[in-house]
Each structure stands twice: as C-alpha cells, then as structure tokens.
Amino acid sequence: MATFISVPLKKSSEVDLVKPLSKFVTATYPAGEEQAEYIRSVEELNKLRKNALGRPLDKHESSLEVLLRYYDQLCAVEPKFPFSENQLCLTFTWKDAFDKGSLFGGSVKLALASLGYEKTCVLFNAAALASQIASEQNLDNDEGLKTSAKYYQLASGAFGHIKDTVLSALNREPTMDISPETVGTLSLIMLAQAQEVFFLKATSDKMKDAVIAKLANQAADFYGDAFKQCQYKDNLPKYFYFQEVLPVLAAKHCIMQANAELHQSVLAKQKKRFGEEIARLQHAAELVKTVASRYDEYVSVKDLSDKINRALTAAKKDNDFIYHDRVPEVKDLEHIGKAALVKATVITPPISQKFTDLFEKMVPMAVQQSMGIYTQRKTETVNRLVGTMREATNLCNGVLASLNLPAALEDLSGDSIPQSIAEKARSVVQLGGLQTIEQLIRDLPELLTRNREILDESLKMLDDEETTDNELRTKFNQRWNRTPSGDLYKPLRAEGANFRNILDKAVQADQVVKERYSTHCDMIALLCKPENELNAAIPSANPTKTLQGSEVVNVLRAQLAQLDEIKKERESLEGEVKAVTFDMSTTFLTALAQDGAINEEQLSLSQLDQLYGAYNQRVQTSLRMQEDLLGQVQTSHQEFSSLKQSNTETNQREEVLKKLASAHDSYVEISSNLREGTKFYNDLTEILLKFQNKCSDIVFARKTERDELLKELQQSIAREPSAPSFNVPAYQSTPAAPAAGPTPAPRTVFQPPQQAQQQPQAKPQPPARPPPPAVTPQAASTMPANAPPTGPPSSNPPPVAPPTQAQGPPYPTYQGYPGYFQMPMGYNPYAAYGQYNMPNMPYMPYQGTPGQGGYPAAPPGGQPYPGYPQQPPQHQPYYPQQ
C-alpha cells in the first residue's frame, strides 16, 4: 500500500552571473577592497547556482540544502541589485517539469528576465526534491516516518508559497507546471501524504483506534480534495504525470476511508454496537474491493482486504449466533471525526540552516536609491549656500569697481599705478593670462562633441533594436509575446532626453562665458602687460594730494577693510560648508528594518536642516552686514567725490581704472566657469559611458531573448500542419445504395475475424480520390506504386492535411495532366452506383499491366486480406467507469 507520489524537477539553462553582476559592482562601487570583496561574492554566487542547478541532484538532504541555500541567497540579493529588463537584465530559461516535448520540438520552456521567476523555479525544485526525499524514506521506523512527514510538509508549504506569489513575481502567464492551479494541487497532494505518514506512525505506535480513525479520515479528506482539484482543472489531466497520479489519489482516498471505517468498527465493538461494527466493516470491504478492481496496478490492498474480511466474517458470525443486532445503513452511521496533525511549512527565508549572506555588507537598492537622492539634495543645499555667498561677493566687487574703489583712494598722486590694480595685474598673470582662457575655450567644443557622440550612439542602439522588435512583432503578431522594446526603453529614453537637455543648457552657458570674455578681453590683455606698459596705458591726472589723510578717506578705507574681512569669512565658510559629511545609510537601514520602507524625503530634509541650518544663518548674517556696509561706502564715496577736483583727465583715468578692476573680477569668474565647464564635460563623459554600457547590456540581453524566442517559434511552426483543412467530397462520406451484380473485393474496409464471420461482405466503396497534389509531371510519373490502404471514410471526417499519395490499392501510372492519376480502362468502380448500374453489362476484371500483380482474390471466410494491417482490439476504458 505504501505508494507515494513525488514530483519531477525542472531543468534550467546555464546563465553567467559573473559578467553582468561584476559590471554593476564595478560601475557602482569605487575601486578598492570593498569592490573586490563584492566581485568575489559574485563568483561564489555563480558557483552556488551551478551546484544547485547545473548537475543531477541526489535524493538526499545535502542536495536539498544546496537548493535552499541558493534560494535564500536569491532572496537576500534581490533587494541589493536592480534586477529588471531595463537595468540589470539577466534572462533565466526553465523547462516545464511535466511536459516531455515531442519528436519535432523540445519540451515547453519559458525565458524571462526576472529574478522572481528564477526564485519561483528554484523553490519548485526544492519542493520537488523534498517530495522525492520523503518518498525514499523507510517507513518501518520512527526516524523515517518523522523525516518523511517533515519533507512532505515542506514541499506542501513551498508549492503553496509559489501559488500565492507566482503571478506577481512573473507579471505574465507562467508555464503550466508553476501555474497556481498546478502547484495548488501539488500542495494538497503533499499535505495528504504527510497526513498519511502520521496515520502510519499512529498505527505503528498502537495508539487508540478513535485517534487512528480520525487521522485516517482526515487523510481521506485531503486525498479527496486533491483528487477533485486535479480532476476538474482544465489543463492538468492532459499531462501524462497527472494521468498517473489521478488513479493513485482515488485509490488512496478509498484506502484511507476504509482504514477509518476499520478502526471505527473496533470502537463500535468496544461500545457493544455490533450492528454498526458490521456496517462499517462492510463499507470498508466495499471500498477495498473497489480499489482492488479498479486500481490494482497502482496500489496493492491485499493485506488490508484480508484483515477487513477476517474481521467482517468474525463479526457476522458473532452477531448471527449471539447478538442479533440490526445492521444499519451506511448513510445512517455517525460521521467519523477528523484530526489534522499536519500543516504546510511557512516559507520565510532563510530556510537553509547553513545560510550566510554573501553580500551581507552591501546595502539594499532601496537604501542605495535613497542615498542617491539624499546626495542630490545635499549637493543642491551646498550649491545654494555657496552660490548665495559668491553672488554676494560678486555684487560687492561690482559695486566697488563702479566706484573705482579702492583704486581711487590709492591714486591720490594721479600718475602711478594704484596698488590694488598692480596686485590684480599680477594675479591675472599668475593665473595664466589670456593663453589659459583661450585654451580652455578651445577645449570645450571637443569635449561637447565627444559627449554628443556617446549619447547619439547609445540611443541609436536602442533605435535599431526597437526597429527589429517592431518588425518581428508585425511578422508574428500575437506569437511575439515579449515586452515591446518601446515600452521597455521608456526610462532609458527619458534618461537620454535628460542628458541631451543638459548638453543644450551647457552649450548656452558656454556661449554666455564666451561673450563675457569678448567684452573684457582688451582690458584683461592690458592687465597681462608689464608694469611700465600698464602705467603708460593709464591716463594721468592732476594730483589730489590734498585729500591725503583726510577723515573721509580714512572712513572709506575702514569700510573697505570691513568688506574685505566679510569676503574672507565667506571663503572660509564656503570651505566649511563643502566639508560637511554625514553617513545617512545607517539611518535609512534602520528605517527599512523598522518600517519595511524608507520615507527618504522626510529623513533627508530633517538631517539636512540639522547639518546646514547654522551655516544658513551665518550666510544670511553675512549678507545683511554687507548690505549695510555697501550703503555706508556709497555715502562716504559721494562725500569723497565732492572733495576731489573733477576734470576730463581725472574722469578718463577713473574710467580706465574701473575697467581694469572689472576686467580682473571678470577674468577670475570666467576662468572659474571654464574650469568648471571642463570638469562638467569630463564628469558627464563618465556618466554617459555608463549610460552607454547600460544600453549595450540591455540590447544584448534583448538580442539573446529574441534569438531564443525565434528558436521556439521555429519549433512551434514545425509542429503545425503544413496545409489548411479541406472539405471531403460528399460521395466519400455518404454510403451508396446497395446494388446487385458482382462487385470487386473490398480494399479499404477490414473487420476483425470475429466480426467478419458474423457480417455479410459489404458492397465496395469507391476509392477515396485525393485532391490534385501540387507536384510536377516528373514527380507524378515517379509516384510510388504501392500506397498504403486507408480505412473507410467516416460520416463526418475530421479535417486532415491533403494526402501526398493516392489512396487505396496501387494503380498503374498513365500520362495525364500533372498530379492526376487515370483509372485503368478495364476497371469501373462505379458499376453498382446510380445511372451506371447496367445489369446487362458483365463485370470485366481488371487487367493489370505486365509485371504488376492484380488485386487479391476474396480472402477465406472470416480472414482479413493478407498484408493488410490488423484492426487493433477494442481496449477497455483507461479508468473504470463508476
């Protein structure tokens, strides 16, 4: 009776995990020990997959442990890598576990770029292997019973977990073996077998009959549910696996119910209910008899049948001679209770006992993404503060340059270079002068062109693959059932459009810098000249030494010194703002562990306010102090100007000095902008190269998926009929009225010997004329002369492909139109039909051509024609009819 059901394993194609995962690690993490450790972990993961899926697995707990470790590692690594069709694209291919394929095509398989699909299939294999290990246990000892029950419950839980998660994990229709209805049925079967093991354990421990009866009745209930679900699902019975499983489930249902009745009868006997005892034993005997008559080839019930019959014989004998208790109907018996001691194991990773996460130090993708957004927010905050301070400094410099300060205070002699102008000239020369600016300006177009080429090439790869995908979708219609490239590439195209927009804005910014340089180019060139030439280029004016040491000059100098101090504080403050660091990964990890999700915006804004709130207040204070001082400087400068002797020469000299001061400030700003622009283009090149690699990877993965799908479509097309169905002529399906006269021996009808003796010889049917096959005249003249005979045409024949050979006995070939085979002149198969029925016309036997045998004579009574295939005997139905 110990027949248990196990599940076959799925087979997977080899997948290289090292290359794409290592590429992601290299692109995401900086070179160093951390990156090297992650790459080693990737290699270990690839080895783990090969051990779990790349070799036949023994039916042993160690093999199951390898599978569970790989499943646990997939669950651990899933949130740490961006597995998706448009990011880290890994295509996993698995074959259907139950579909064995056909002669012209392999078994059904599905390829998906989904880690959820890989997890589902690995868990299916773990459940299948657990069922095989449980089925191999020795159930004659307690250890074997415990192990078997444990793994059946694990298998049931795993199949149930797949049922609940497969549709959300795949986002498309799965293969039949992992469909919810299939794995739901398998989960019930495993649970029923676990309950049966508990029944066997209770029996071997000689527990109370009441307990054993409840355990057996519950097992019968589980088997009944599994049988119904397996029988009434639309697609399951077509699998040969489930055709073998169905009778086993039906037999187990009856056997468990018979065991329940047997043990309940013992309880009835103990309670002196002898009629109930006999009724239950009779019911058990009927159930066992049903199993023996219908499912004997699957399950042996001889021992159980003998046990029940012995108990029934003794009970009847005692009741007939002693008790004379009335035997009730089965329907009137009290229902046997149920006791479910089994429960599907809950699948909560890690399942393996020896699991250690290979990527324990790597933060999950949710944290990585949150860190990326936080870094962007932090950069925006720093840039805003720094930009505010630089803008204020430029405003201050512009105001002072317009007032010709501090040069006006230093130029009291009227014929020498002011100290501030001399320092600014030396600063420009030290920074490289005009040559540095012009070289930076010449480099920008080359950097821009390089970035545009990388972006255009990346988008062209997407365009080419999308065009090919659309062409194949148009060609194959619904058969081309993969995700459209246009939908898949939307995020990449949006990213590419963003890069293009950034480049366009950069071009505009470059143009602004060039125009500003053109405006101040002459004055910058003047600052780069030697001191004597610079002094000669500045107009001289009448001396104003009378203002030397005046109160207004001293006030202006004190105010300018305060402004210089504010600008120095800003430079220091800018350095402090840029140096602020804080590791938000710990905060995000804590939030993810506590809440299961990360509220990045709330956490980031709160932390940034703590980090930069004080700096923001200091910047605002600096701005207010500058605004007050500039107002005071303007007031003092008006008083200073009123004391100076104004004339044309003085005004010209002040105008040149203002332009030189403004040129210095513009040079510093232009030089800074150009260097920032060069760094921007170089940094963007690295980003665009990563974008290009991403596009290249996904296009390669799509090409691999496309080739796989084309191969499957070719196999599918090869299995299809080569020609459409056609209507059979009416005379082939409608029998003709009987006619008198001699008829030729029938050629296409044969009966089994027994039927041939009982039935008179039937009138001949006209040979089935095939439609003209599409062959050349040469092919028609070389058609085989001995085509196989066919059976009689049915009244409603199914559509079939056009035959390539003439039906019925062989005919000699005569010249005619291509593909048409003429009848011999001496043969008239229509002699007994309708208007051709001429009783006075004698039957003319067929005269064969030389070298060709004639038709065989009528066979001996009750014997078929020699050489004709025998009709197979009528088989009994596969399953006994109720």
Side-chain angles (χ1 to χ4, degrees):
M1 190 198 81
T3 300
F4 288 89
I5 299 167
S6 60
V7 181
L9 273 67
K10 291 172 70 68
K11 293 182 179 179
S12 172
S13 301
E14 185 176 352
V15 178
D16 181 18
L17 302 178
V18 174
K19 183 178 178 180
L21 295 184
S22 298
K23 205 170 188 179
F24 172 80
V25 168
T26 305
T28 306
Y29 297 93
E33 182 60 30
E34 183 183 27
Q35 183 189 102
E37 182 180 352
Y38 291 155
I39 291 178
R40 287 194 297 269
S41 298
V42 167
E43 294 172 353
E44 287 297 321
L45 178 63
N46 195 55
K47 291 179 183 178
L48 184 58
R49 187 182 196 276
K50 288 184 178 180
N51 289 335
L53 307 177
R55 61 185 179 88
L57 296 177
D58 298 329
K59 298 177 183 179
H60 192 268
E61 296 179 23
S62 59
S63 299
L64 180 60
E65 180 68 22
V66 173
L67 268 176
L68 294 179
R69 275 183 57 209
Y70 179 55
Y71 176 77
D72 288 337
Q73 188 59 67
L74 289 178
C75 294
V77 83
E78 184 176 22
K80 298 180 180 181
F81 288 88
F83 294 102
S84 66
E85 284 186 290
N86 55 7
Q87 293 189 61
L88 188 55
C89 186
L90 283 172
T91 302
F92 301 99
T93 304
W94 288 81
K95 293 183 179 180
D96 192 307
F98 303 126
D99 188 285
K100 300 305 179 185
S102 62
L103 179 63
F104 298 103
S107 59
V108 175
K109 59 183 177 181
L110 177 63
L112 282 181
S114 166
L115 192 72
Y117 176 52
E118 173 86 346
K119 285 170 52 184
T120 298
C121 295
V122 171
L123 186 59
F124 180 95
N125 271 11
L129 185 59
S131 72
Q132 296 177 12
I133 295 173
S135 301
E136 292 290 320
Q137 297 301 311
N138 181 9
L139 302 182
D140 293 333
N141 58 64
D142 286 351
E143 191 62 31
L145 289 168
K146 290 179 181 178
T147 304
S148 182
K150 170 187 172 183
Y151 285 120
Y152 278 135
Q153 291 176 91
L154 174 62
S156 177
F159 285 131
H161 184 77
I162 296 174
K163 175 186 176 183
D164 297 335
T165 60
V166 62
L167 295 181
S168 60
L170 269 62
N171 291 323
R172 61 158 293 169
E173 193 68 24
T175 50
M176 275 305 301
D177 57 344
I178 57 173
S179 65
E181 58 184 13
T182 304
V183 291
T185 302
L186 294 175
S187 179
L188 282 176
I189 293 174
M190 296 299 117
L191 200 62
Q193 295 188 148
Q195 181 74 16
E196 182 182 353
V197 171
F198 271 96
F199 159 77
L200 296 176
K201 178 73 166 62
T203 304
S204 66
D205 292 345
K206 301 186 184 326
M207 298 182 70
K208 294 181 179 179
D209 291 287
V211 175
I212 298 176
K214 290 179 180 180
L215 292 175
N217 196 34
Q218 182 66 69
D221 197 32
F222 283 152
Y223 276 119
D225 292 343
F227 177 81
K228 291 175 184 177
Q229 187 162 339
C230 186
Q231 185 181 33
Y232 295 124
K233 292 297 181 182
D234 295 335
N235 296 317
L236 297 187
K238 76 176 183 180
Y239 282 122
F240 179 76
Y241 174 82
F242 287 100
Q243 294 176 6
E244 293 288 324
V245 164
L246 267 171
V248 176
L249 295 177
K252 287 293 192 76
H253 172 69
C254 294
I255 292 171
M256 288 293 102
Q257 198 171 354
N259 274 294
E261 296 289 358
L262 174 62
H263 287 278
Q264 194 69 19
S265 70
V266 176
L267 195 63
K269 182 178 180 181
Q270 294 172 357
K271 296 181 179 180
K272 308 297 183 182
R273 298 174 183 172
F274 303 106
E276 178 185 345
E277 177 192 9
I278 294 173
R280 292 193 182 279
L281 289 173
Q282 287 176 343
H283 188 208
E286 291 173 0
L287 290 169
V288 172
K289 184 177 180 182
T290 300
V291 174
S293 61
R294 297 183 180 181
Y295 313 114
D296 186 52
E297 61 179 303
Y298 299 99
V299 180
S300 173
V301 290
K302 186 176 183 304
D303 294 341
L304 180 60
S305 178
D306 292 344
K307 184 176 181 180
I308 292 173
N309 289 332
R310 286 196 301 269
L312 179 59
T313 301
K316 282 184 175 180
K317 182 177 179 182
D318 291 344
N319 193 52
D320 290 343
F321 287 97
I322 303 174
Y323 307 115
H324 304 289
D325 196 6
R326 184 183 69 84
V327 179
E329 295 289 334
V330 175
K331 62 182 181 180
D332 298 330
L333 294 175
E334 182 181 352
H335 291 291
I336 304 174
K338 300 174 184 177
L341 296 185
V342 294
K343 185 178 181 181
T345 303
V346 178
I347 302 301
T348 305
I351 313 171
S352 169
Q353 298 176 354
K354 301 179 181 178
F355 171 69
T356 53
D357 187 3
L358 296 173
F359 300 89
E360 184 176 5
K361 296 181 180 179
M362 183 182 288
V363 297
M365 281 303 300
V367 176
Q368 293 182 33
Q369 293 170 357
S370 298
M371 284 294 296
I373 300 174
Y374 164 76
T375 302
Q376 184 177 355
R377 293 182 189 275
K378 177 185 173 184
T379 303
E380 291 174 355
T381 302
V382 171
N383 290 341
R384 186 176 67 252
L385 292 174
V386 172
T388 301
M389 290 188 288
R390 288 183 178 180
E391 185 178 353
T393 300
N394 291 336
L395 175 63
C396 178
N397 292 336
V399 171
L400 294 180
S402 66
L403 300 176
N404 193 26
L405 292 175
L409 298 178
E410 298 166 354
D411 189 34
L412 298 179
S413 63
D415 55 0
S416 63
I417 301 176
Q419 181 64 27
S420 60
I421 298 298
E423 290 177 356
K424 289 176 180 179
R426 287 193 292 269
S427 174
V428 170
V429 173
Q430 289 175 359
L431 291 175
L434 286 177
Q435 294 181 353
T436 301
I437 295 286
E438 291 174 354
Q439 182 62 43
L440 290 173
I441 291 176
R442 285 194 297 269
D443 290 344
L444 289 181
E446 181 180 350
L447 297 174
L448 173 66
T449 302
R450 181 180 63 185
N451 286 331
R452 284 196 186 278
E453 289 175 352
I454 295 173
L455 180 60
D456 292 341
E457 183 180 350
S458 303
L459 296 177
K460 185 177 182 299
M461 286 192 291
L462 301 182
D463 293 338
D464 294 343
E465 200 284 326
E466 183 175 350
T467 301
T468 305
D469 182 70
N470 292 335
E471 291 174 354
L472 292 172
R473 178 167 282 99
T474 303
K475 180 178 180 180
F476 293 105
N477 297 324
Q478 292 85 0
R479 292 184 177 185
W480 198 252
N481 55 1
R482 71 172 185 167
T483 306
S485 295
D487 297 341
L488 192 61
Y489 295 157
K490 283 182 180 178
L492 289 174
R493 293 196 182 281
E495 194 174 353
N498 183 43
F499 287 137
R500 195 172 295 281
N501 186 38
I502 289 174
L503 287 174
D504 293 340
K505 290 182 178 179
V507 171
Q508 296 175 5
D510 294 345
Q511 188 62 31
V512 171
V513 172
K514 291 178 182 177
E515 291 175 357
R516 188 170 183 181
Y517 171 71
S518 299
T519 302
H520 298 89
C521 178
D522 294 337
M523 287 296 152
I524 294 174
L526 187 58
L527 286 173
C528 295
K529 290 182 178 181
E531 186 173 343
N532 57 346
E533 294 183 17
L534 177 61
N535 190 21
I538 301 174
S540 60
N542 294 327
T544 56
K545 293 184 178 180
T546 55
L547 294 177
Q548 188 73 32
S550 66
E551 183 179 356
V552 67
V553 172
N554 294 333
V555 169
L556 269 175
R557 284 177 175 170
Q559 291 170 345
L560 293 177
Q562 291 179 8
L563 285 176
D564 289 340
E565 188 65 28
I566 289 176
K567 287 189 285 186
K568 290 180 181 179
E569 287 181 1
R570 283 185 189 149
E571 292 177 0
S572 175
L573 183 59
E574 181 177 334
E576 292 180 24
V577 168
K578 289 182 177 180
V580 172
T581 57
F582 182 79
D583 185 10
M584 280 292 289
S585 60
T586 305
T587 304
F588 289 142
L589 283 170
T590 304
L592 184 63
Q594 292 177 352
D595 306 330
I598 300 175
N599 189 344
E600 181 276 330
E601 183 177 5
Q602 178 182 352
L603 294 173
S604 296
L605 293 179
S606 175
Q607 187 61 46
L608 289 174
D609 185 59
Q610 294 179 19
L611 292 175
Y612 296 101
Y615 292 109
N616 190 36
Q617 292 178 1
R618 290 173 62 183
V619 169
Q620 296 303 321
T621 302
S622 174
L623 293 180
R624 288 192 297 270
M625 290 177 62
Q626 175 179 295
E627 186 177 359
D628 295 340
L629 279 172
L630 285 178
Q632 297 173 13
V633 166
Q634 289 175 337
T635 302
S636 299
H637 183 267
Q638 289 177 358
E639 185 178 352
F640 173 76
S641 299
S642 63
L643 296 176
K644 289 178 64 176
Q645 297 178 1
S646 297
N647 53 45
T648 304
E649 294 178 353
T650 304
N651 292 336
Q652 289 178 351
R653 183 178 177 85
E654 285 191 3
E655 189 65 28
V656 172
L657 293 176
K658 289 179 183 178
K659 289 182 178 180
L660 289 173
S662 178
H664 169 266
D665 295 339
S666 296
Y667 178 87
V668 173
E669 186 175 355
I670 290 171
S671 177
S672 174
N673 291 340
L674 289 174
R675 285 187 171 86
E676 287 180 358
T678 303
K679 182 178 184 301
F680 163 79
Y681 282 124
N682 289 328
D683 293 344
L684 185 60
T685 300
E686 295 182 7
I687 296 174
L688 287 175
L689 287 174
K690 292 180 180 179
F691 176 73
Q692 185 183 40
N693 289 335
K694 190 189 300 185
C695 294
S696 176
D697 291 344
I698 190 172
V699 167
F700 178 78
R702 293 284 286 179
K703 181 180 181 300
T704 304
E705 183 185 12
R706 181 185 70 206
D707 295 342
E708 192 73 23
L709 185 55
L710 280 173
K711 182 179 178 182
E712 293 180 10
L713 286 174
Q714 290 170 356
Q715 294 177 351
S716 174
I717 293 172
R719 291 193 290 263
E720 292 180 352
S722 58
S725 60
F726 59 88
N727 295 325
V728 180
Y731 71 83
Q732 295 189 18
S733 57
T734 305
T743 58
R747 296 175 298 280
T748 60
V749 180
F750 63 90
Q751 302 279 353
Q754 294 79 2
Q755 297 180 7
Q757 293 176 0
Q758 298 173 4
Q759 298 181 6
Q761 186 173 359
K763 295 296 182 182
Q765 302 291 333
R769 176 183 298 172
V775 296
T776 60
Q778 292 80 1
S781 63
T782 59
M783 186 64 68
N786 51 352
T790 62
S794 63
S795 60
N796 187 17
V800 295
T804 58
Q805 299 180 0
Q807 307 297 308
Y811 300 116
T813 303
Y814 294 86
Q815 186 65 30
Y817 64 80
Y820 177 74
F821 303 93
Q822 296 179 345
M823 297 294 182
M825 294 300 294
Y827 171 67
N828 181 14
Y830 304 100
Y833 291 84
Q835 59 181 338
Y836 301 103
N837 184 9
M838 292 178 268
N840 295 327
M841 178 178 290
Y843 169 68
M844 299 180 66
Y846 166 63
Q847 302 295 328
T849 57
Q852 175 181 352
Y855 292 110
Q863 299 296 325
Y865 289 99
Y868 276 64
Q870 298 296 319
Q871 182 172 351
Q874 296 295 326
H875 290 284
Q876 296 298 324
Y878 186 77
Y879 300 114
Q881 304 300 313
Q882 297 278 344

